[in-house]
Amino acid sequence: MARPRRSEINDDNRREALIQAAARLFNRQGYQGTSVRAIASATGMQSGSPFYHFASKQDLLFEATMQGLGPALAQLEAIWAGKGSAEARFRALLRTHLGQLLGTDPDMAAMVVSEWRWLEGEQRLQVIALRDRFEQFWQRVLEALAADGRIPSADRTTRLFFLGALHGVTQWYRDGGGLGIEQVADSLARFVLRSPAPRPATRARTASRRPARGGR
């Protein structure tokens, strides 16, 4: 194993670079298919350098997952605490959260949605606790919508269907595929709220009149 350079040990930016590289490779290759050597190579480090920042590949996965979950939840809570109807804030939440998953840092989406399941022990429990806070947050949102009569129920089944649809977008959405993130968010809002899709604008048509016929 090559001896790490001093800059690879002391540079705090290297730690963040390792987290970003790990998230990118975990997203593309899966946690099990990614080696620490590959993560080091992606950041231009020696193969042993990551261990001066993280004790294991599990630690890298944990940090990447927490970076994806913690700030995202704080941003959503700030939106929900703002002014406006439950429906208006719900629509804003969808646009923001899908932007977090698909636009801001899509590599982190894989950590939030699927790869975290490879975690073990205390780290897994911490992530599960944070994910539970996410579910509780969305439960409060759905209950507010139900109280306003915008959805028929906010029971557990409704929440699970909604979260499945929300996070399932990461499995099929492709940037440049014809739909923007806001369009997807608005479509999901219409689906949940059972709102009709907006009709395309039509040009006013002038009614044609038949020429008057003369009397016989």
Side-chain angles (χ1 to χ4, degrees), residues 136-159:
Q136 291 162 9
F137 170 79
W138 284 113
Q139 181 65 43
R140 294 195 302 272
V141 173
L142 294 174
E143 287 171 356
L145 291 172
D148 282 357
R150 298 301 291 117
I151 59 175
S153 171
D155 60 11
R156 179 175 181 271
T157 302
T158 300
R159 185 184 76 245

Side-chain angles (χ1 to χ4, degrees), residues 133-208:
R133 284 180 55 196
F134 256 98
E135 289 205 16
Q136 291 162 9
F137 170 79
W138 284 113
Q139 181 65 43
R140 294 195 302 272
V141 173
L142 294 174
E143 287 171 356
L145 291 172
D148 282 357
R150 298 301 291 117
I151 59 175
S153 171
D155 60 11
R156 179 175 181 271
T157 302
T158 300
R159 185 184 76 245
L160 293 177
F161 271 132
F162 165 69
L163 291 176
L166 176 63
H167 291 146
V169 174
T170 63
Q171 303 300 312
W172 57 262
Y173 180 82
R174 294 294 179 270
D175 188 24
L179 285 176
I181 293 174
E182 287 196 1
Q183 289 176 293
V184 175
D186 291 345
S187 293
L188 180 55
R190 287 195 299 271
F191 175 77
V192 174
L193 301 170
R194 300 182 179 180
S195 304
R199 294 181 179 180
T202 57
R203 294 181 179 178
R205 296 179 179 177
T206 304
S208 60

Side-chain angles (χ1 to χ4, degrees), residues 103-129:
T104 305
D105 196 348
D107 290 323
M108 288 297 181
M111 310 305 103
V112 173
V113 176
S114 59
E115 294 303 312
W116 70 272
R117 292 182 174 86
W118 294 105
L119 289 169
E120 299 174 351
E122 181 62 28
Q123 291 177 336
R124 181 181 179 88
L125 292 177
Q126 288 186 49
V127 170
I128 289 175

